[in-house]
Amino acid sequence: MADDFPELGTVYRRGPGSKSNQLSGKEANTKLNSEKSGNSGVNSGQDGSTPRPQYSQNTSSNVAQKLATSGNGESGRANSNNLLDKSDDEIVDSESDIVFDSGDDISLDDTDSDTDEKNHEGRKKSKWFRGFFDNLNRLSNEEIASSMRQWHCPACQGGPGAIDWYHGLQPILIHSRTIKSRRAKLHRLFAETLEEECYRRRAPLTAPSEVYGMWEGLDKKVKDHEIVWPPMVVIMNTRYEQDESNKWNGMGNQELMDYFDGYAASKARHAYGPQGHRGMSVLIFETSAAGYLEAVRLHKHFREQGRDREAWNHCKKPFVPGGKRQLYGYLASREDMDIFNQHSRGKSKLKFDMRSYQEMVESKIKDINEDSQQLGYYMNKVAKVQMKSQLLEDTLCTVSEKLRLATEDNRIVRERTKEQHLQNKEEMDAQEIFFQEQIRIIEQTIAAKEDNFEKFQQTKREKVKQSCLGSSENGNDEHRLENISSFTRLHDKEMRQFEAKRDNLIKIHEEKKMALKKKLLQEQLELEKELENDLTQLMDNYTSDLSQEGKLKNGLCRRASKNIIHS
């Protein structure tokens, strides 16, 4: 039995340069002269007939059929009469980047047909192409191939390109294939119709002395087929024995999963009927391209061991030596699922869809290839970023360690400074106590001297009074009183002068003390400011050293990162 599924080793080997369906990018501008190349450009058959022209694969061989594919998995032939009424989303293959405008919302004349022959003739007789093909039918093959004959594009009529002339059919065909804006669908349909007409008439699109393009690649149309979705693998011969009621029992879900734990199946189901287990089970895989490829891998494993669908259909002995049942497996088809659900109703029925292989698997594989390339790029980028991050982390660790050491040194210095400050304070307190004691002694001495001075003055006055009183015994009291009064006035005057001078000395002393205290405070303030400035400069020096070291490390990191990126 032919295998319709791809080799797993091939679906991942496509690279960005493996697009085999590419023509020369300058097809419209490449024109070789046979006299220079020594090649006629178009080979004739031995019977003298002209072979079918080699056209570029950039245009699908039947756009109408591609655009008519329905979304429910059923495919059919496009009706050319209503083709251009379909939405602009129905674009396939290389035409996915075409921009459509309101000019595409048009249709050909009503020419219902069920055959290619009638369909082709219906297109030729549409209101868009009738005039062009009427003129073409009047010409011989040599006149059709001539590059001297000029043509208007029928799909451009009534639009901006309606007045453009094309020398020969090849330029107008290239124009119809490559236009991507106004009436793109109509142009593609015209190109197909023109190619088909020339093929039927065996008329070359170019003169024998001209060749457009240099190579012809593969047709972009790839045969598609429907697949069961989600992907499933049918496992046959899974029943075991009959019970007392003559009903069959067989494998359980987990038991079946365990038998094939090397494959990423998501769950298992079994078919049951009136007689119990029917011996038919399915492994259900993830609804993704990866899940489908896992199912294909299991399918191929069964086939390689000779236990696939064909082997099961021809199986006569479901047992192997030793009495064990031999399991068979293959990818599920619609018929298999219908058989599986034969006795199931309602919710017990296993739900599935029929989906396009190209849509569900092939396109996703292309996305996986592109994503894997992007992943490689970003993994390299992440590796470089990680190396740079590692360098920065090492630098940060080094700087952090130095900062920690500097912080520890600062703490030690602060503690020593604090101890020194306490020691200096104790010394200053001791000196202050000493000098305060000396000042107190001096103040007591001054007070004692003042007391002695005051006593001396009083004693002196008493002596003068006594002297005056002693002389009163000899008479002349008036003279005596006058002497006492004179002495008293003189003494009081002297005392007032003394008090004034004493007050002046005390005032001058207090002023000197205040000036000295102010000077001391100012010097102390200047001393503290000087300490502040010195400490600030010291800390700035250490901070700048760390900054310079950090800058040096950052510079080394940047240079290392550049070297990594360049490498």
Side-chain angles (χ1 to χ4, degrees), residues 237-498:
N237 203 24
T238 56
R239 65 183 180 183
Y240 180 54
E241 62 184 1
Q242 289 180 308
D243 57 16
E244 296 177 353
S245 60
N246 292 327
K247 289 192 175 182
W248 287 93
N249 55 32
M251 273 190 175
N253 293 341
Q254 189 58 48
E255 187 177 7
L256 181 59
M257 296 280 288
D258 292 341
Y259 264 87
F260 299 97
D261 57 359
Y263 298 88
S266 57
K267 53 186 176 180
R269 290 283 299 274
H270 306 276
Y272 291 90
Q275 301 301 320
H277 200 294
R278 297 171 58 200
M280 183 180 188
S281 307
V282 292
L283 286 172
I284 305 173
F285 291 80
E286 180 185 354
T287 56
S288 65
Y292 180 80
L293 294 178
E294 276 292 283
V296 170
R297 189 164 70 91
L298 179 55
H299 163 84
K300 288 183 177 293
H301 196 173
F302 274 112
R303 188 186 64 184
E304 289 168 359
Q305 295 193 8
R307 288 187 278 161
D308 57 0
R309 182 191 299 272
E310 185 176 359
W312 170 248
N313 291 336
H314 295 84
C315 176
K316 296 180 179 180
K317 295 181 180 181
F319 300 94
V320 295
K324 293 184 178 180
R325 286 184 176 271
Q326 178 69 67
L327 295 178
Y328 294 80
Y330 44 85
L331 273 173
S333 65
R334 178 192 290 274
E335 292 76 13
D336 298 327
M337 300 311 300
D338 291 340
I339 295 173
F340 187 91
N341 288 325
Q342 182 178 357
H343 299 285
S344 300
R345 298 291 183 271
K347 293 184 178 179
S348 64
K349 192 173 185 179
L350 182 57
K351 295 179 175 58
F352 69 96
D353 292 321
M354 298 303 296
R355 305 295 290 272
S356 164
Y357 169 79
Q358 293 293 329
E359 175 188 357
M360 305 308 297
V361 181
E362 187 71 20
S363 62
K364 300 301 186 294
I365 291 175
K366 293 178 182 178
D367 294 339
I368 292 173
N369 290 333
E370 294 175 358
D371 292 343
S372 64
Q373 293 173 8
Q374 291 291 325
L375 178 62
Y377 167 77
Y378 284 112
M379 286 181 64
N380 292 334
K381 191 171 182 180
V382 168
K384 293 177 181 179
V385 172
Q386 288 177 344
M387 293 182 68
K388 183 177 180 180
S389 300
Q390 185 63 39
L391 288 174
L392 294 176
E393 183 178 355
D394 295 341
T395 302
L396 179 61
C397 291
T398 303
V399 174
S400 299
E401 179 64 19
K402 288 189 174 292
L403 180 60
R404 187 189 66 79
L405 295 176
T407 303
E408 182 67 18
D409 293 341
N410 290 337
R411 185 187 65 79
I412 296 173
V413 169
R414 283 197 301 270
E415 289 181 355
R416 290 178 180 176
T417 303
K418 186 176 180 180
E419 293 174 359
Q420 186 68 32
H421 176 72
L422 292 176
Q423 183 178 354
N424 292 338
K425 187 175 183 302
E426 291 176 357
E427 293 179 0
M428 292 296 294
D429 291 343
Q431 290 183 8
E432 183 177 1
I433 293 172
F434 172 76
F435 286 114
Q436 289 291 341
E437 182 66 23
Q438 294 298 317
I439 292 172
R440 187 181 64 78
I441 293 173
I442 293 173
E443 288 176 348
Q444 290 177 354
T445 302
I446 292 174
K449 287 182 178 181
E450 287 183 341
D451 289 341
N452 293 333
F453 179 77
E454 185 176 354
K455 289 178 181 180
F456 172 76
Q457 294 298 329
Q458 290 177 357
T459 302
K460 183 178 178 181
R461 292 186 68 169
E462 288 296 326
K463 286 182 179 181
V464 171
K465 286 181 180 181
Q466 291 297 329
S467 176
C468 291
L469 290 177
S471 62
S472 64
E473 296 177 356
N474 298 324
N476 200 357
D477 292 336
E478 182 179 353
H479 181 69
R480 186 180 61 248
L481 292 173
E482 184 179 354
N483 288 335
I484 292 173
S485 175
S486 176
F487 174 77
T488 301
R489 287 194 301 273
L490 179 62
H491 187 264
D492 290 339
K493 182 179 179 180
E494 288 178 352
M495 287 299 100
R496 285 194 298 273
Q497 290 177 352
F498 172 77

Side-chain angles (χ1 to χ4, degrees), residues 135-230:
N135 292 333
L136 189 71
N137 290 335
R138 300 189 190 102
L139 303 176
S140 64
N141 287 355
E142 290 75 12
E143 292 173 327
I144 291 175
S146 175
S147 61
M148 301 302 294
R149 181 169 294 275
Q150 297 181 348
W151 303 87
H152 285 305
C153 176
C156 289
Q157 57 181 294
I163 61 173
D164 294 342
W165 286 105
Y166 297 91
H167 295 270
L169 291 182
Q170 185 67 24
I172 196 173
L173 187 62
I174 293 173
H175 158 74
S176 300
R177 289 174 184 154
T178 57
I179 189 169
K180 294 184 179 181
S181 56
R182 185 174 177 83
R183 301 176 185 169
K185 296 178 183 177
L186 186 62
H187 280 82
R188 301 298 187 274
L189 196 58
F190 167 68
E192 290 183 10
T193 307
L194 179 57
E195 288 179 346
E196 182 66 22
E197 179 66 16
C198 291
Y199 172 71
R200 294 184 179 191
R201 294 186 54 170
R202 296 184 178 275
L205 291 172
T206 59
S209 61
E210 298 175 344
V211 173
Y212 286 84
M214 300 177 67
W215 296 280
E216 177 73 13
L218 295 174
D219 191 347
K220 278 195 174 181
K221 288 199 304 183
V222 178
K223 183 180 178 181
D224 195 5
H225 59 275
E226 290 184 337
I227 57 176
V228 174
W229 202 257

